């Protein structure tokens, strides 16, 4: 979903108070703190057009957005190709600055260069397509219209969109984790390593997704990609399987349907008889751990064990490809 705050009037003019109000409005668009309607990402394709200057006029607003775990993306500015042409608020803290590349993956001449006038850090932090971008245009009479555009104002939305994809795929990922994933997996545009022309390189949404840390929603120690159900702390690899409840607790792909119908010792305790069935039938492959495998009887659809090797009074473990369960056979009875 997408919402917008209009900070410039139709003549292209704005005021400081209008921008303050817009940045504060996105924290709670409907004015009701009981509803969760704040955006995950805020794109800003505007700047204070004073090159190589650090202007902290809106820093408190940006800090408030970051404190609310809202990602803030800014266009780096169109004041290149000279160095030290960063502009605010893109060179401020708690934002991600985005420069422009063309369709040949070369940094656009107009894209502002660093270092940041605020703290001397690499500027911009990343780059994205910003020259020869096909996008929608004003429509007259309802006729669809498209146009080719250029500017870092069109690079920043690429990064904001990538962040929206990351939040959609991993809703609990933090802004810091998204930024780290995007900057850490960005591909070099020119010379190896970060530089003040292209930052850490051009973003890759898929590589960033792969770099995100697993998020453990239910707190069972197994995050996304490892837990077969991250909304139930009782379901995870290594959990104890509860037989025949329709739930695969241990994430092995089966609900444990092994059913021990009887397990009894002979009168002298020298042999054991056990009958087991499974929803998997002949594919169940049950065995008595440290004793031996059971034999399948196709005519009855069950598994039988008759033999020695078990010690009376000791619990036994019956294991199949579904999992395992503990069994305590009936003790031998004395003859009278």
């Amino acid at each position: 979903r997408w919402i917008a705050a209009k900070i410039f009037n139709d003549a292209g003019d704005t005021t400081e108070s209008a921008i303050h109000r817009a940045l504060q409005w996105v924290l709670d668009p409907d004015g009701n703190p009981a509803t969760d309607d704040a955006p995950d990402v805020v794109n800003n394709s505007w700047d204070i057009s004073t090159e190589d200057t650090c202007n902290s006029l809106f820093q408190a607003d940006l800090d408030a957005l970051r404190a609310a775990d809202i990602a803030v993306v800014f266009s780096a500015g169109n004041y290149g190709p000279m160095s030290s042409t960063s502009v605010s608020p893109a060179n401020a803290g708690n934002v991600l600055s985005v420069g422009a590349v063309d369709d040949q993956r070369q940094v656009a001449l107009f894209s502002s260069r660093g270092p940041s006038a605020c703290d001397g850090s690499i500027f911009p932090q990343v780059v994205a397509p910003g020259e020869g971008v096909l996008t929608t245009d004003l429509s007259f009479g309802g006729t669809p219209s498209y146009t080719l555009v250029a500017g870092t104002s069109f690079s920043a939305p690429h990064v904001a969109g990538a962040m929206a994809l990351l939040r959609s795929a991993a809703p609990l990922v933090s802004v810091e984790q998204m930024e780290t994933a995007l900057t850490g997996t960005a591909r070099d545009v020119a010379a190896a390593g970060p530089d003040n022309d292209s930052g850490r390189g051009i973003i890759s949404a898929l590589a960033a997704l792969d770099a995100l840390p697993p998020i453990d929603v239910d707190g069972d120690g197994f995050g996304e990609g490892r837990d077969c159900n991250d909304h139930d702390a009782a379901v995870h690899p290594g959990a104890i399987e509860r037989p025949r409840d329709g739930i695969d607790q241990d994430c092995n792909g089966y609900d444990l349907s092994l059913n021990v119908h009887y397990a009894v010792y002979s009168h002298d305790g020298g042999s054991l008889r056990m009958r087991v069935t499974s929803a998997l039938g002949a594919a169940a492959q049950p065995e008595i751990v440290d004793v031996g495998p059971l034999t399948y009887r196709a005519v009855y659809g069950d598994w039988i064990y008759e033999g020695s090797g078990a010690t009376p009074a000791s619990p036994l473990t019956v294991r199949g490809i579904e999992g395992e369960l503990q069994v305590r056979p009936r003790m031998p009875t004395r003859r009278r």
Side-chain angles (χ1 to χ4, degrees):
R1 297 182 179 183
W2 181 84
I3 57 174
K6 184 175 181 179
I7 61 174
F8 294 91
N9 62 22
D10 291 346
D13 299 321
T14 189
T15 62
E16 293 177 8
S17 59
I19 298 175
H20 283 303
R21 287 198 302 271
L23 292 174
Q24 292 164 15
W25 171 77
V26 296
L27 284 167
D28 187 12
D30 70 352
N32 181 1
T35 58
D36 182 13
D37 62 326
D40 293 299
V41 187
V42 174
N43 180 80
N44 295 270
S45 291
W46 60 274
D47 62 70
I48 302 171
S49 55
T50 304
E51 300 169 36
D52 200 29
T53 299
C54 183
N55 189 322
S56 60
L57 181 62
F58 301 104
Q59 190 63 58
D61 303 285
L62 302 177
D63 291 343
L65 293 177
R66 182 60 175 259
D69 203 36
I70 297 173
V72 181
V73 181
F74 264 93
S75 54
N78 304 323
Y79 304 97
M82 301 300 292
S83 61
S84 300
T85 50
S86 76
V87 288
S88 295
N91 56 12
N94 281 337
V95 305
L96 190 64
S97 55
V98 186
V101 292
D102 59 22
D103 59 358
Q104 301 299 312
R105 295 168 55 86
Q106 300 298 311
V107 179
L109 286 176
F110 57 76
S111 187
S112 288
R113 269 72 165 173
S116 165
C118 289
D119 58 11
S121 61
I122 293 294
F123 183 93
Q125 291 162 275
V126 292
V127 290
E131 189 170 357
V133 177
L134 182 66
T135 187
T136 52
D137 197 5
L138 293 173
S139 175
F140 297 96
T143 302
S145 181
Y146 297 87
T147 186
L148 288 172
V149 294
T152 57
S153 287
F154 305 99
S155 306
H158 280 83
V159 176
M163 284 186 157
L165 289 173
L166 295 179
R167 268 281 167 88
S168 178
L172 296 184
V173 70
S174 69
V175 171
E176 182 179 2
Q177 289 170 327
M178 287 194 293
E179 291 178 347
T180 298
L182 283 167
T183 58
T185 60
R187 295 167 292 182
D188 280 320
V189 171
D195 58 71
N196 284 308
D197 292 332
S198 60
R200 287 164 176 78
I202 190 167
I203 65 162
S204 170
L206 180 58
L209 175 61
D210 292 339
L212 288 178
I215 306 299
D216 183 11
V217 176
D218 56 15
D220 60 8
F222 297 87
E224 294 173 350
R226 299 179 61 211
D227 198 349
C228 62
N229 185 342
D230 209 25
H231 300 282
D232 188 341
V235 177
H236 58 79
I240 297 175
E241 186 69 65
R242 290 195 287 269
R244 300 177 298 283
D245 65 350
I247 301 174
D248 175 23
Q249 276 89 6
D250 61 2
C251 296
N252 71 346
Y254 304 98
D255 174 37
L256 183 56
S257 65
L258 288 174
N259 187 17
V260 178
H261 294 269
Y262 60 76
V264 296
Y265 289 106
S266 61
H267 292 293
D268 60 5
S271 64
L272 170 70
R273 298 181 68 240
M274 182 181 294
R275 178 175 179 260
V276 174
T277 58
S278 167
L280 298 183
Q285 300 177 17
E287 65 170 343
I288 305 173
V289 176
D290 297 327
V291 176
L294 282 77
T295 301
Y296 184 65
R297 299 191 303 181
V299 66
Y300 298 108
D302 61 4
W303 293 81
I304 292 293
Y305 179 85
E306 294 181 347
S308 60
T311 302
S314 297
L316 300 175
T317 299
V318 179
R319 176 188 298 159
I321 64 172
E322 305 165 84
E324 61 183 41
L325 65 145
Q326 298 292 314
V327 178
R328 187 175 290 276
R330 193 174 67 197
M331 294 294 294
T333 56
R334 295 180 180 177
R335 290 184 181 275
R336 294 186 179 181

